[in-house]
Amino acid sequence: MTINKKRNLILISILIISFLIINYNLYYPLKSYAIMFPYSFIHKCDSLINKIDFNIHIPGGLSTKERDWYPFMIYFNNDKGFSKHINKNLSITILYNFGAFNHKSGMSSYYDSNSPYYSSFYGAYIIRDNENPINMFGYNKNNTLNIDEISKLVTYDQKNLVLASLGLDSTKSSFNFDITDINKNIEYLGHTNWTKVDAKIKTNSPIHRFKSHKRGYIQYGRPPHLDNDINNFPVIDLYGRVYIKYFDEYNITVILYGMMSSMEVLNKWDEEILEKTVIY
């Protein structure tokens, strides 16, 4: 093959790829994957999990046949931010996942009010008290759940990290819940003494009119085009579930969590994703 033919072939390939990216809105998902994968890897290397040699594997969207969730779990460390918020010296690593990208619209189903995965997240929190490692985050001294402390964590995550990344001031956002069921001392994922908590949640949805670039757009893509009469970040009803356990051998609290648009999706996530989680 001559040099000119090779150049023409490369040029044609570039044009075809560019056409597909532009016309099928692949720019935003490809951008998300390209940035979030190395970003997550860096955070994982510096995570509490890596420092204490604690292993947890939570499946991402590649583990299912449907295009339901983002392909891989994302790792994020927020030691300083949450420690300052709660006025304690903590180490915290967050694993999270959200609705998969629709490659036609170029945005995550996290934005799509018609999707079962609208405004939905799942993942895990791994927390350790740095000043006194035997202090059990999320528990009282009598080993009962400290609902207030757990509430501060999930509220901080939703208001100060997730919604704030889309441009909603944390002082103007809301996150409220009513516990509907608590099951104690259950066996889950091959480990005993988990506590399972279900709740109904009222919080802001991610729907809003695009104004300028926000950090969250890197992950989820740009929000959909909206009519001017639609409210930004309307409050909606969601369903939440957490599994909580303190691991004495590591002096850490593990909280597995899911926040979904319906109980049907929540139970499906529990059965198809979370039950395949491996802790070792």
Side-chain angles (χ1 to χ4, degrees), residues 13 24 136 151 155 173 180 183 188 206 211 221 235 250 260:
S13 299
Y24 289 89
M136 301 163 57
S151 171
T155 301
S173 59
T180 57
N183 289 306
Y188 193 64
K211 290 185 178 180
V235 174
Y250 298 103
M260 312 290 167

Short mmCIF file of all heavy atoms in Angstrom, two decimals, residues 13 24 136 151 155 173 180 183 188 206 211 221 235 250 260:
data_model
loop_
_atom_site.label_atom_id
_atom_site.label_comp_id
_atom_site.label_asym_id
_atom_site.label_seq_id
_atom_site.Cartn_x
_atom_site.Cartn_y
_atom_site.Cartn_z
N SER A 13 -10.99 7.09 7.87
CA SER A 13 -11.29 6.52 9.18
C SER A 13 -11.61 7.61 10.20
O SER A 13 -12.56 7.50 10.98
CB SER A 13 -10.13 5.67 9.68
OG SER A 13 -9.87 4.59 8.81
N TYR A 24 -24.17 10.48 16.69
CA TYR A 24 -24.73 9.56 17.67
C TYR A 24 -24.43 10.00 19.10
O TYR A 24 -24.57 9.24 20.04
CB TYR A 24 -24.21 8.13 17.43
CG TYR A 24 -24.79 7.52 16.19
CD1 TYR A 24 -24.16 7.68 14.97
CD2 TYR A 24 -25.98 6.79 16.23
CE1 TYR A 24 -24.70 7.13 13.81
CE2 TYR A 24 -26.51 6.24 15.09
CZ TYR A 24 -25.87 6.41 13.88
OH TYR A 24 -26.41 5.86 12.74
N MET A 136 -16.46 3.03 66.28
CA MET A 136 -17.23 2.46 65.18
C MET A 136 -18.11 3.54 64.56
O MET A 136 -19.14 3.91 65.13
CB MET A 136 -18.07 1.29 65.68
CG MET A 136 -17.25 0.17 66.30
SD MET A 136 -18.23 -0.98 67.32
CE MET A 136 -19.46 -1.54 66.16
N SER A 151 -26.95 9.44 58.70
CA SER A 151 -27.72 10.43 57.96
C SER A 151 -26.83 11.58 57.48
O SER A 151 -26.97 12.06 56.35
CB SER A 151 -28.85 10.98 58.83
OG SER A 151 -29.48 12.08 58.22
N THR A 155 -26.46 12.43 53.51
CA THR A 155 -26.93 13.77 53.17
C THR A 155 -25.80 14.60 52.57
O THR A 155 -25.97 15.31 51.58
CB THR A 155 -27.50 14.48 54.41
OG1 THR A 155 -28.58 13.71 54.95
CG2 THR A 155 -28.01 15.87 54.07
N SER A 173 -30.37 22.89 48.56
CA SER A 173 -30.84 21.55 48.22
C SER A 173 -31.45 20.88 49.45
O SER A 173 -31.31 21.36 50.58
CB SER A 173 -29.68 20.71 47.68
OG SER A 173 -28.64 20.62 48.63
N THR A 180 -38.44 2.97 56.77
CA THR A 180 -39.62 2.12 56.67
C THR A 180 -39.40 0.72 57.23
O THR A 180 -40.35 0.03 57.58
CB THR A 180 -40.06 2.00 55.20
OG1 THR A 180 -38.97 1.48 54.41
CG2 THR A 180 -40.48 3.36 54.65
N ASN A 183 -33.77 -4.36 59.60
CA ASN A 183 -33.51 -5.76 59.92
C ASN A 183 -32.10 -5.88 60.48
O ASN A 183 -31.13 -5.50 59.82
CB ASN A 183 -33.64 -6.64 58.67
CG ASN A 183 -35.07 -6.77 58.22
OD1 ASN A 183 -35.93 -7.16 59.00
ND2 ASN A 183 -35.35 -6.46 56.96
N TYR A 188 -25.14 -11.63 55.11
CA TYR A 188 -25.17 -11.11 53.74
C TYR A 188 -23.77 -11.15 53.17
O TYR A 188 -22.79 -10.82 53.87
CB TYR A 188 -25.71 -9.68 53.76
CG TYR A 188 -26.10 -9.12 52.41
CD1 TYR A 188 -27.14 -9.68 51.67
CD2 TYR A 188 -25.44 -8.04 51.86
CE1 TYR A 188 -27.51 -9.19 50.45
CE2 TYR A 188 -25.80 -7.53 50.62
CZ TYR A 188 -26.84 -8.10 49.91
OH TYR A 188 -27.21 -7.60 48.68
N PRO A 206 -31.77 15.62 39.44
CA PRO A 206 -30.70 16.34 38.74
C PRO A 206 -31.19 17.19 37.57
O PRO A 206 -30.39 17.86 36.91
CB PRO A 206 -29.81 15.20 38.24
CG PRO A 206 -30.76 14.07 38.01
CD PRO A 206 -31.78 14.18 39.10
N LYS A 211 -26.62 26.01 31.92
CA LYS A 211 -26.22 27.41 31.85
C LYS A 211 -24.74 27.56 31.54
O LYS A 211 -24.33 28.35 30.72
CB LYS A 211 -26.56 28.12 33.17
CG LYS A 211 -28.06 28.31 33.39
CD LYS A 211 -28.34 29.13 34.65
CE LYS A 211 -29.83 29.35 34.84
NZ LYS A 211 -30.11 30.15 36.07
N GLY A 221 -22.63 13.69 31.39
CA GLY A 221 -22.99 14.38 30.18
C GLY A 221 -23.80 15.63 30.49
O GLY A 221 -24.08 15.93 31.65
N VAL A 235 -37.92 18.54 43.63
CA VAL A 235 -37.86 17.50 44.66
C VAL A 235 -38.72 16.32 44.23
O VAL A 235 -39.87 16.49 43.80
CB VAL A 235 -38.33 18.04 46.02
CG1 VAL A 235 -38.41 16.92 47.05
CG2 VAL A 235 -37.39 19.15 46.50
N TYR A 250 -10.47 -4.82 60.59
CA TYR A 250 -9.94 -3.67 59.84
C TYR A 250 -10.25 -2.33 60.51
O TYR A 250 -9.77 -1.29 60.06
CB TYR A 250 -10.52 -3.65 58.42
CG TYR A 250 -10.16 -4.85 57.59
CD1 TYR A 250 -11.09 -5.87 57.37
CD2 TYR A 250 -8.90 -4.97 57.01
CE1 TYR A 250 -10.77 -6.98 56.59
CE2 TYR A 250 -8.57 -6.08 56.23
CZ TYR A 250 -9.51 -7.07 56.03
OH TYR A 250 -9.19 -8.17 55.26
N MET A 260 -32.84 4.50 44.49
CA MET A 260 -33.45 4.20 43.20
C MET A 260 -34.80 4.89 43.03
O MET A 260 -35.41 5.37 43.99
CB MET A 260 -33.65 2.68 43.06
CG MET A 260 -32.45 1.84 43.42
SD MET A 260 -31.12 1.98 42.21
CE MET A 260 -29.76 1.22 43.09
#
